[in-house]
């Protein structure tokens, strides 16, 4: 059995791992790599022939795990994509949104090139088109949580819930490798306990090998305040005392639903005076419908809230903004308000319009509620840049920039350690760390090694016989 880490090796994005059992090839995740100013089109340079992959296993919908699937299919993969039902629905939304982004960026680059400003020769093509996304959707084969699925006579797959996002799962394989029983788990992304809307991660079963994410290695979520307390404090200052506007960049899928549900609790219980809330993301509106569709997958607290107070994702003073015209009208809304818009790292989406009009507004507060990868506009604002480039303009930053990790959907250092310790040293032969920046991985590796685990931080493309 051979394992090769082809993506998210000592970085966060581009998760893609190849597991070979004899001649049979399983690709676990196929995400977009958008770090370190990599061009989007470089994602089509697969380190293997897509035609040789037998099956893809998708842990969850986020684009750094799913976003390169249509390219894989465009270049010859013709097998099944195994995932949970919510993952299939959410991935379709994200991939269609990616097509729009690729088309827009390709158009912009071609326009610059036509004017003689570009460095690129020839016409820039988008990475994939809508027809490739629909080809991808047709390949989905959905599997329930904790239901063993036999891929071949020698390979069995079980999806174990890990929180983080609706439908997200660790992929656990039991394998007969030339008569020897082996097991390996890929965590995907691990969630955290007591997260709004989502269930807690379920402990993984005993396995021989673990490929674990390390996004929050060495970092610890603040535990002194609840999600509600943190949001009340920020809203009270930004919208009530200062009578300004609070802008929250939030990923449309997952983060926005958890945020809306929390705001619903705050306002419906009278913990703050009413404040107008705009959710300005068509994809967030569509994703919320998926959350409603899979209501049985949300946590017990959210289900009880629904029974007592109604829809978790609907309340007075909440508006889901649909058209671009309505989105632009928000700039003319001068009452205190909360604007939730995507994307969370500020790379594209309607959030850029809201930033463009508010980054120089002393009465605006921008609250980051998640991770921002290096190279993104969000990362530049968080590190304190006083001038940022938005929509072909250099703009001074006068708005208040804040950050909280209470709505981060990633487990922290303790959660990652708990995931490994639940398997235990007696069974677990080796841990491979992926999906994290070098420093985070090293800090997690150090603590795992102190506990007695064998740990590797693979370089991209290096293979391991296991």
């Amino acid at each position: 059995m051979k394992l090769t880490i082809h993506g998210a090796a000592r970085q966060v994005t581009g998760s893609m791992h190849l597991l070979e059992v004899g001649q049979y090839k399983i690709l676990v995740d196929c995400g977009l790599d958008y770090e370190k100013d990599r061009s989007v089109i470089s994602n089509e340079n697969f380190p293997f022939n897509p035609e040789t992959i037998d099956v893809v296993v998708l842990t969850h919908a986020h684009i750094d795990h799913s976003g390169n699937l249509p390219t894989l299919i465009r270049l010859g993969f013709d097998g099944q994509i195994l995932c949970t039902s919510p993952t299939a629905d959410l991935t379709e939304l994200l991939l269609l949104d990616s097509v729009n982004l690729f088309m827009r960026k390709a158009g912009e680059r071609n326009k610059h090139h036509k004017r003689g400003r570009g460095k690129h020769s020839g016409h820039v093509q988008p990475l994939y088109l809508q027809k490739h996304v629909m080809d991808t959707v047709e390949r989905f084969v959905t599997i329930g949580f904790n239901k063993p699925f036999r891929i071949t006579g020698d390979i069995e797959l079980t999806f174990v819930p890990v929180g983080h996002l609706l439908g997200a799962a660790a992929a656990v394989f039991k394998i007969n490798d030339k008569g020897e029983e082996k097991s390996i788990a890929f965590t995907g992304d691990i969630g955290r306990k007591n997260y709004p809307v989502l269930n807690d991660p379920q402990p993984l079963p005993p396995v021989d090998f673990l490929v674990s994410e390390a996004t929050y290695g060495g970092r610890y979520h603040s535990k002194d305040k609840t999600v509600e307390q943190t949001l009340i404090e920020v809203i009270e200052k930004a919208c009530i005392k200062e009578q300004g506007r609070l802008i929250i960049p939030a990923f449309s899928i997952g983060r926005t639903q958890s945020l809306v549900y929390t705001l619903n609790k705050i306002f419906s219980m009278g913990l703050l005076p009413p404040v107008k809330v705009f959710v300005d993301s068509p994809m967030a509106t569509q994703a919320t419908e998926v959350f409603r569709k899979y209501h049985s997958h949300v946590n017990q607290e959210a289900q009880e809230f629904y029974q007592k107070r109604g829809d978790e994702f609907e309340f007075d003073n909440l508006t889901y903004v649909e058209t671009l015209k309505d989105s632009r009208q928000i700039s003319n809304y001068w009452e205190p308000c909360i604007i939730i818009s995507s994307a969370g790292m500020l790379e594209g989406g309607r959030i850029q319009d809201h930033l463009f009009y508010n980054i120089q507004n002393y009465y605006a507060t921008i609250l980051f509620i998640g991770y921002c990868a290096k190279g993104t506009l969000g990362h530049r604002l968080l590190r304190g840049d006083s001038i940022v480039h938005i929509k072909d303009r250099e703009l001074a930053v006068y708005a208040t920039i804040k950050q909280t990790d209470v709505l981060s959907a990633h487990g922290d250092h303790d959660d990652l350690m708990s995931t490994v310790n639940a398997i235990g040293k007696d069974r677990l032969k080796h841990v491979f760390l992926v999906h994290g920046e070098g420093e985070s991985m090293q800090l997690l590796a150090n603590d795992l090694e102190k506990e007695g685990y064998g740990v590797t931080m693979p370089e991209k493309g290096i293979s391991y016989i296991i």
Side-chain angles (χ1 to χ4, degrees):
M1 191 163 76
K2 183 163 76 170
L3 172 68
T4 311
I5 305 300
H6 283 302
R10 304 194 182 198
Q11 66 174 51
V12 172
T13 68
S15 287
M16 186 168 62
H17 318 303
L18 183 62
L19 182 63
E20 298 175 71
V21 182
Q23 299 300 308
Y24 197 82
K25 295 184 178 181
I26 304 167
L27 194 66
V28 180
D29 288 341
C30 188
L32 272 185
D33 182 348
Y34 47 84
E35 281 193 41
K36 299 173 184 171
D37 297 323
R38 271 175 65 93
S39 69
V40 168
I41 206 68
S42 66
N43 281 272
E44 71 181 2
N45 299 322
F46 287 102
F48 46 78
N49 181 354
E51 294 179 7
T52 65
I53 302 299
D54 292 291
V55 69
V56 172
V57 174
L58 178 60
T59 61
H60 67 288
H62 281 145
I63 213 74
D64 53 341
H65 291 257
S66 71
N68 217 17
L69 285 169
T71 316
L72 191 76
I73 286 171
R74 176 170 69 81
L75 296 178
F77 169 68
D78 65 356
Q80 296 177 336
I81 301 170
L82 309 179
C83 61
T84 66
S85 294
T87 293
D89 286 7
L90 293 176
T91 300
E92 180 177 355
L93 292 180
L94 278 163
L95 294 180
L96 287 171
D97 186 67
S98 290
V99 169
N100 296 332
L101 183 62
F102 295 152
M103 295 290 284
R104 187 164 62 248
K105 286 194 172 182
E108 289 170 358
R109 293 172 80 178
N110 288 326
K111 186 167 68 176
H112 279 283
H113 176 69
K114 197 172 180 180
R115 292 173 180 168
R117 297 182 197 166
K119 298 177 183 176
H120 302 275
S121 59
H123 188 76
V124 178
Q125 295 287 344
L127 186 61
Y128 48 78
L129 304 172
Q130 183 171 331
K131 66 178 182 179
H132 302 122
V133 172
M134 300 325 294
D135 287 344
T136 303
V137 171
E138 288 177 4
R139 305 294 175 84
F140 288 140
V141 174
T142 59
I143 304 169
F145 285 122
N146 297 311
K147 294 181 178 177
F149 178 87
R150 194 152 287 282
I151 298 176
T152 72
D154 292 326
I155 305 169
E156 182 185 274
L157 166 68
T158 303
F159 281 131
V160 176
V162 289
H164 182 68
L165 180 67
L166 193 74
V172 181
F173 295 91
K174 287 184 180 178
I175 295 165
N176 182 344
D177 186 18
K178 297 175 183 175
E180 185 181 354
E181 290 295 323
K182 295 180 180 178
S183 55
I184 181 170
F186 296 79
T187 65
D189 285 350
I190 299 166
R192 56 195 292 194
K193 295 176 181 176
N194 303 315
Y195 191 79
V197 179
L198 300 179
N199 283 303
D200 289 354
Q202 185 177 304
L204 297 180
V207 290
D208 300 316
F209 302 97
L210 180 67
V211 180
S212 174
E213 67 115 324
T215 313
Y216 271 75
R219 288 188 282 176
Y220 300 86
H221 292 313
S222 52
K223 297 179 173 65
D224 54 334
K225 292 177 185 172
T226 65
V227 178
E228 289 86 354
Q229 287 169 336
T230 301
L231 287 174
I232 287 170
E233 190 176 285
V234 175
I235 295 166
E236 199 164 33
K237 185 173 188 299
C239 300
I240 297 169
K241 289 181 180 175
E242 295 182 358
Q243 294 284 294
R245 52 179 48 192
L246 174 62
I247 299 170
I248 307 178
F251 295 111
S252 301
I253 294 179
R255 207 72 54 89
T256 293
Q257 289 73 34
S258 295
L259 178 57
V260 166
Y261 168 57
T262 305
L263 292 174
N264 191 353
K265 288 200 291 182
I266 289 170
F267 291 119
S268 65
M269 294 175 186
L271 301 176
L272 280 177
V275 176
K276 186 71 177 174
V277 179
F278 296 101
V279 175
D280 189 13
S281 164
M283 188 165 63
T285 304
Q286 292 174 295
T288 301
E289 288 303 318
V290 177
F291 274 70
R292 290 179 175 127
K293 176 181 176 181
Y294 295 104
H295 198 260
S296 61
H297 287 68
V298 304
N299 65 22
Q300 189 65 34
E301 184 203 53
Q303 295 199 33
E304 289 173 1
F305 184 95
Y306 175 80
Q307 289 168 1
K308 290 177 183 176
R309 297 180 180 268
D311 192 342
E312 307 98 296
F313 310 114
E314 198 67 66
F315 57 91
D316 291 342
N317 284 323
L318 171 67
T319 299
Y320 287 94
V321 180
E322 294 185 10
T323 68
L324 195 55
K325 180 182 176 183
D326 290 339
S327 175
R328 288 170 177 156
Q329 285 299 314
I330 297 174
S331 297
N332 299 322
Y333 185 86
W334 294 110
E335 296 293 319
C337 63
I338 300 167
I339 301 169
I340 303 165
S341 189
S342 63
M345 299 188 196
L346 314 187
E347 293 298 293
R350 292 184 182 178
I351 188 66
Q352 290 215 340
D353 287 326
H354 297 300
L355 282 178
F356 185 80
Y357 293 115
N358 289 284
I359 199 77
Q360 295 181 306
N361 177 3
Y362 286 103
Y363 293 96
T365 299
I366 300 163
L367 174 66
F368 287 91
I369 59 172
Y371 174 84
C372 288
K374 287 181 179 177
T376 62
L377 175 57
H379 184 264
R380 290 191 287 276
L381 282 171
L382 285 172
R383 76 183 177 193
D385 287 17
S386 57
I387 297 176
V388 290
H389 186 85
I390 305 174
K391 298 176 71 172
D392 294 329
R393 290 272 302 275
E394 300 292 325
L395 299 174
V397 179
Y398 299 139
T400 300
I401 309 297
K402 287 181 171 284
Q403 184 178 30
T404 179
D405 62 8
V406 294
L407 272 160
S408 168
H410 276 277
D412 67 4
H413 187 90
D414 286 339
D415 295 316
L416 296 170
M417 290 293 295
S418 295
T419 299
V420 178
N421 282 326
I423 299 170
K425 291 186 286 289
D426 293 343
R427 177 69 182 269
L428 191 55
K429 296 174 182 174
H430 209 82
V431 180
F432 298 90
L433 296 182
V434 297
H435 203 280
E437 292 169 358
E439 183 181 355
S440 296
M441 274 189 192
Q442 190 62 64
L443 290 167
L444 181 59
N446 291 346
D447 276 9
L448 287 171
E449 285 170 348
K450 285 176 189 173
E451 296 266 342
Y453 296 100
V455 182
T456 297
M457 300 184 296
E459 296 280 358
K460 191 173 183 178
I462 300 297
S463 297
Y464 302 88
I465 304 300
I466 57 176

